[in-house]
Amino acid sequence: MKGGAALGIGLAAPTIITKSAWGYTNEPTGSSVTLGFNVPQTGAYADEGADELRAYQLAVEHLNGEGDGGMLNTFSSKELKGDGVLGKKVEYVTGDTQTKSDAARASAKRMIEADGAVMITGGSSSGVAIAVQGLCQEAGVIFMAGLTHSNDTTGKDKKANGFRHFFNAYAGENVKGIFGSTNWHWSLQDEGSQAFVKSFGQKYGFPPSQAAHTCYAQALLYADACQRAGTFNPCGVVEALEGFEFDGLGNGPTLYRAEDHQCFKDVLVVKGKDNPTSEFDLLEVVDVTPASQVTYAPDHPMFAGGSLGECNPGA
């Protein structure tokens, strides 16, 4: 994390305290805090949703001090100690998006209103992500998007309460000759990726997908932001994540840009293997497109028309 990001959090502390005093949606009052994992558990993307849920469950274990800690050990931010978040044990509830926007909004609404979820995360569809992000903005909770390929998520439909870890679909001239692109791959040899692959593999018996990695990282990033902000208040979390630079989560140096809450990092170029050794060995990483080549201006015409707006703390 750059010094400026840390300084910004410190200067914003009085605002966080003031808003906490007013209360916010699902402010934890007991010994635990509840997160909502909203993934496709039925329908065409159920397999991907199952892998996302595995990753979330692993993240919860690591946050609560169970297992080997995974990427908590490699994450550049050292605020999380494996003793929960802000002294509270992390618990979770789940919802089934069915990869349908209405169903996803309904399950997110239920987790917020009935289960007390203070954050919603997950999804395997841009339509679902945009719909749930809008709901979370209205309800006053944070939304940490899972897989969402559409530029609109942090373009015309961006929201102050939403954050997207998946790379943007726009890469301009850099797309020429590319076979395909991916957010992450389990064959990467950096310390963070290998720590995650080891933890996931030991628990489930096979390597994680890019969906699993994205969701695991989002869970850790949310928990870390709460820890650094000293509150679960969504406005404090927003301030902690805006402009946050980090490393050690499998994608190299990464930035959560303040202007649109879009994550910028290196993008992997992949092609299908001619002779895969298993169902998990289908892709080969052939190149890496540096983050500098896929970063665009916040006011790029392709993403015009939307307004981030203000953080909504809810109640």
Side-chain angles (χ1 to χ4, degrees):
M1 179 177 63
K2 64 181 179 182
L7 180 60
I9 294 167
L11 291 175
T15 302
I16 295 171
I17 292 171
T18 299
K19 290 183 177 180
S20 292
W22 294 341
Y24 54 91
T25 299
N26 294 337
E27 180 173 3
T29 56
S31 60
S32 65
V33 61
T34 301
L35 309 182
F37 301 149
N38 207 23
V39 304
Q41 298 186 53
T42 57
Y45 290 92
D47 288 345
E48 189 169 79
D51 217 35
E52 292 182 342
L53 193 53
R54 293 183 191 104
Y56 284 133
Q57 291 168 336
L58 185 63
V60 169
E61 289 183 11
H62 291 167
L63 290 171
N64 288 330
E66 302 169 16
D68 62 9
M71 287 200 288
L72 286 185
N73 300 315
T74 62
F75 190 13
S76 57
S77 176
K78 301 302 179 184
E79 295 296 320
L80 297 170
K81 307 298 183 184
D83 55 359
V85 181
L86 296 177
K88 298 183 183 295
K89 181 180 179 181
V90 179
E91 298 183 344
Y92 67 90
V93 291
T94 69
D96 181 9
T97 70
Q98 303 175 41
T99 318
K100 299 176 181 177
S101 296
D102 289 345
R105 281 179 64 96
S107 59
K109 189 172 188 290
R110 183 263 301 166
M111 289 188 284
I112 294 168
E113 295 181 352
D115 300 314
V118 74
M119 181 272 276
I120 301 295
T121 182
S124 295
S125 154
S126 295
V128 163
I130 290 168
V132 175
Q133 180 170 259
L135 173 76
C136 289
Q137 181 70 36
E138 298 164 7
V141 301
I142 292 293
F143 176 63
M144 302 294 283
L147 263 67
T148 166
H149 292 81
S150 173
N151 299 339
D152 292 345
T153 312
T154 46
K156 71 180 184 65
D157 294 308
K158 57 182 173 286
K159 302 294 182 185
N161 282 40
F163 290 85
R164 179 186 183 214
H165 188 261
F166 206 81
F167 67 91
N168 208 297
Y170 177 75
E173 291 294 312
N174 302 293
V175 78
K176 290 184 176 179
I178 288 180
F179 298 94
S181 55
T182 187
N183 203 46
W184 178 85
H185 193 262
W186 63 266
S187 67
L188 293 175
Q189 295 300 304
D190 63 278
E191 188 179 24
S193 293
Q194 289 306 293
F196 178 53
V197 171
K198 177 184 177 184
S199 294
F200 193 97
Q202 287 178 340
K203 183 173 178 64
Y204 300 113
F206 48 85
S209 63
Q210 68 162 342
H213 170 263
T214 298
C215 291
Y216 178 95
Q218 286 287 67
L220 262 58
L221 285 164
Y222 171 77
D224 175 74
C226 294
Q227 196 75 29
R228 289 186 291 112
T231 182
F232 293 104
N233 186 313
C235 294
V237 175
V238 167
E239 290 177 13
L241 282 173
E242 287 184 338
F244 180 49
E245 293 181 282
F246 57 93
D247 202 347
L249 292 186
N251 289 117
T254 306
L255 165 70
Y256 248 133
R257 187 163 65 182
E259 291 85 352
D260 52 8
H261 298 181
Q262 172 64 45
C263 223
F264 289 98
K265 54 189 180 291
D266 295 348
V267 176
L268 304 180
V269 179
V270 296
K271 70 173 183 178
K273 282 193 171 182
D274 294 328
N275 298 296
T277 59
S278 73
E279 61 180 300
F280 307 105
D281 186 39
L282 303 178
L283 297 177
E284 177 184 359
V285 178
V286 296
D287 199 3
V288 177
T289 303
S292 60
Q293 294 184 25
V294 294
T295 300
Y296 50 87
D299 60 352
H300 191 289
M302 183 175 288
F303 311 99
S307 173
L308 193 64
E310 298 292 327
C311 166
N312 177 24

